[in-house]
Amino acid sequence: MSAPAALFHAGMRLPTGLPPARDGDELSQPLEPADVRAFWEEQSENRQPQSIGKDSLDISELRDLLSTIIHKSGAYKGAVKMGLYTQRCCDLYESLDSSGRIVFLKLLSVEYCAPKGEARALTSAYLESLAQSSDPAQSALRARALRDGLTPQYAELIDQINRLPGGFSFLVRMRADMLEYIRGHREDGAMRAMSDMLMKKLETWIIGTLDLKRITWNSPAFTIEKLGQYESVHAVKSWLDVRRRLGNGRRCFGFFHRSVPMEPLVFVWVALTDSVSDNVQSILQEREPTTAEAEATARCAIFYSINSQPGLSGVDLGNFLIKRVVGVLRAELPNIDTFCTLSPLPRFRAWLDQWLTPECLATPPRTMVNEDAQKALIARAPHTHTWTAALKHIIDSRGWTGDQANIDAMEPVVRALGAHYLVNVKRGKSHAAYDPVANFHLRNGACLHQINWRGNTSYSGLRQSLGLMCNYNYVLNRIEDNNERYVHDGSIAISGNDPFIAEAKRVAGNNMARAAKL
């Protein structure tokens, strides 16, 4: 399969709408793929209309259009006509720039939510029917009327859009816009409510409509390009990068919605290895992946990146994808008996910065890190007097990753802190692990297997977790029990013999015992 060389970095633009001039006979010198792509991109851009900003958006016209669809008012003349109005609404939204889309979404979430007056009246009628009538049929009718009255009016627009060809994909993109806005405006309850409702609808519509497909180098270029677009854990840098990840000893699987058969909703990258991997660079940068024949002797399947479209955040597809892929790999390669992840700790550095308070720097916990490791770390920052102060000094300094003595002294300290973070740090007052990736895999029934120092030495890996990664092991005959125990009381199953995890688990057990006595 041939592919344009500049797929993920097509920043070059031609100054005119023509291919670049060449010396000599142009017909005898074929264009490079990047030249052809840049030419057609510019032609496409020249044909596309300019985006409409919020100042150019006709709010009155937008209200009329939304009311026609939601209230079936105005020129409504049946399902076909309604589909045309809905398509017109989608076209309008797609033509807006980011500021115009926010105006659209805010108007929809505020002016077309559940009418408060009607909801109050229906609630009173329902309570009155319960007090005055013992007829269950009458109560059921009142309950249905109340439920309908509490349903936001924009639900009708969402349902109409989903009936359009490509409507499901449009709604996923629209929810991505909502989530991007909510990240900077957490106080906007109306927008959050609309996003949550759309998430539930998407989750419902997905059931029974997903197809599991293996993505290979021979898959459509459009599909492969989406892998680069949606990859959020380990950035795809080029077509060569993709080809390496799809080559021998590698797998990629995705769930596809039947209305969007070439665009994966969620996908997972897998490496077939002889042992449990402890460093992601060894997977991503390996020049000669395992030969096809060597796949028959691989013992481990390493899930090193799971990604979904941004608009599907909160929709639990990764759990089902991993389980389906495990089944496919077991059938294809019965020699594989270990199914592990190589996962990031995306909030570890942020948690560590908060944990290193002035009190902690002055009087650190003495039992979390052994004395030899404490002394070795303090020796790397002689002007400090505690191991926590020495750690903060090193990680806040520039160039610490280039000093091997610092790296060696930090390893037992950071691994101990990482194990404590995964096992003992919880989300609020719940039993759930604070780390979102840990919570995902532990809730799915995986075992915490190993803490990996220098597991990801990329810029993002060092910034997020000081390079720390971990393995979650899906031991197939323990998944159900692990899931039940974790959901019930937050109990974390472990596998392997990592001493830092064992120590953190021992501390967790002591804490639970003290809590039980109280």
Side-chain angles (χ1 to χ4, degrees), residues 209-222:
T209 64
L210 295 180
D211 294 320
L212 178 67
K213 299 179 183 179
R214 179 182 170 186
I215 303 169
T216 70
W217 184 241
N218 294 320
S219 296
F222 179 85

Side-chain angles (χ1 to χ4, degrees), residues 2-141:
S2 61
L7 177 63
F8 301 111
H9 296 282
M12 185 176 67
R13 291 291 181 269
L14 299 175
T16 69
L18 300 174
R22 294 170 179 266
D23 296 331
D25 182 5
E26 293 183 10
L27 295 178
S28 67
Q29 299 184 34
L31 295 175
E32 295 296 326
D35 299 332
V36 177
R37 180 178 178 85
F39 170 74
W40 284 114
E41 280 184 344
E42 181 157 334
Q43 297 305 302
S44 177
E45 290 172 359
N46 291 337
R47 290 195 299 269
Q48 291 177 354
Q50 294 295 320
S51 297
I52 300 173
K54 63 179 181 179
D55 296 332
S56 303
L57 180 61
D58 189 328
I59 299 298
S60 177
E61 181 181 347
L62 176 59
R63 283 196 182 97
D64 291 342
L65 181 58
L66 292 174
S67 295
T68 299
I69 300 169
I70 292 173
H71 302 309
K72 297 182 173 60
S73 60
Y76 173 67
K77 295 181 179 179
V80 175
K81 195 73 173 179
M82 182 58 64
L84 295 176
Y85 283 120
T86 306
Q87 184 63 60
R88 178 182 166 192
C89 184
C90 294
D91 291 342
L92 172 62
Y93 184 85
E94 293 279 22
S95 71
L96 299 173
D97 64 11
S98 58
S99 64
R101 292 184 181 187
I102 295 304
V103 171
F104 182 108
L105 294 172
K106 286 177 70 69
L107 185 147
L108 187 63
S109 66
V110 173
E111 297 190 16
Y112 294 91
C113 61
K116 296 180 181 179
E118 182 180 349
R120 279 194 292 265
L122 290 169
T123 301
S124 298
Y126 175 67
L127 294 175
E128 184 178 345
S129 69
L130 289 179
Q132 296 181 358
S133 174
S134 59
D135 183 3
Q138 184 67 21
S139 298
L141 289 173

Side-chain angles (χ1 to χ4, degrees), residues 232-233 266-269 304-308 318 321-322 440-441:
S232 60
V233 183
V266 58
F267 59 93
V268 60
W269 301 97
Y304 63 91
S305 180
I306 303 174
N307 303 269
S308 66
L321 178 62
I322 289 176
F440 171 80
H441 289 295

